[in-house]
């Protein structure tokens, strides 16, 4: 059984989270520059075979596309092309950044750490992945 990797895509940074090999627990993995995403995923897939990819799809409260939706759709197409043998799933990412801030506060992270956008992106990716795991 391979791992499932989740992507919280942003124009500048991408938060990544991954499951354990049994696909039970979602944990933060890394934050990388958005331009490095495909190279990072290819290298990771060679080390740890991926069972699936999950990407957060940005939507407004009224379930309409946002400014970032078209960029994520483009990434989604590239992922499906570059990883034809790996299923790619979309999941609603509304409120994940807010939930990430709340989780970091509840976890006792200091103000400085909560302001670190890279940390927020990793935690948001973890929430996306956990939501996917619970929806199965």
């Amino acid at each position: 059984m391979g791992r499932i990797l989740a992507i919280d895509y942003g124009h500048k940074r991408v938060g990544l989270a991954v499951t354990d090999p049994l696909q039970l627990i979602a944990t933060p993995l890394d934050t990388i520059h958005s331009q490095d995403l495909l190279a990072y995923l290819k290298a990771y897939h060679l080390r740890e075979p991926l069972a699936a990819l999950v990407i957060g799809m940005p939507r407004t409260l009224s379930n309409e596309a946002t400014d970032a939706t078209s960029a994520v759709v483009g990434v989604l197409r590239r992922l499906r092309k570059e990883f034809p043998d790996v299923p790619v799933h979309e999941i609603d990412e509304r409120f994940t950044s807010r939930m990430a801030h709340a989780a970091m506060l509840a976890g006792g992270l200091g103000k400085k750490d909560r302001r670190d956008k890279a940390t927020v992106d990793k935690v948001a990716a973890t929430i996306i992945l956990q939501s996917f795991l619970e929806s199965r």
Side-chain angles (χ1 to χ4, degrees):
M1 196 181 259
R3 296 176 187 264
I4 301 172
L5 189 138
I7 302 164
D8 179 33
Y9 187 81
H11 292 293
K12 294 180 184 177
R13 284 176 317 280
V14 178
L16 301 171
V18 69
T19 64
D20 61 300
L22 297 176
Q23 301 177 1
L24 300 173
I25 302 168
T27 56
L29 177 64
D30 206 350
T31 302
I32 59 172
H33 194 282
S34 58
Q35 293 175 337
D36 302 330
L37 178 61
L38 287 178
Y40 184 97
L41 292 177
K42 287 176 185 178
Y44 189 89
H45 187 47
L46 288 174
R47 289 189 318 270
E48 294 279 342
L50 295 170
L53 292 166
V54 178
I55 189 164
M57 187 59 66
R59 308 296 289 173
T60 65
L61 290 177
S62 57
N63 202 28
E64 295 174 2
T66 69
D67 297 341
T69 303
S70 62
V72 174
V73 169
V75 170
L76 193 61
R77 285 188 191 127
R78 287 196 308 249
L79 290 173
R80 288 186 172 139
K81 182 180 176 188
E82 294 291 330
F83 301 96
D85 57 330
V86 178
V88 181
H89 305 278
E90 304 171 36
I91 193 160
D92 187 343
E93 72 164 23
R94 282 181 280 190
F95 306 115
T96 55
S97 292
R98 188 172 295 151
M99 290 166 65
H101 279 286
M104 292 187 321
L105 183 63
L109 280 180
K111 195 176 213 178
K112 182 180 177 187
D113 291 328
R114 291 193 313 266
R115 285 188 183 155
D116 180 16
K117 292 182 180 179
T119 303
V120 174
D121 290 340
K122 281 192 289 193
V123 174
T126 307
I127 291 168
I128 289 168
L129 185 52
Q130 191 64 46
S131 296
F132 175 76
L133 293 174
E134 290 171 3
S135 71
R136 295 192 304 166

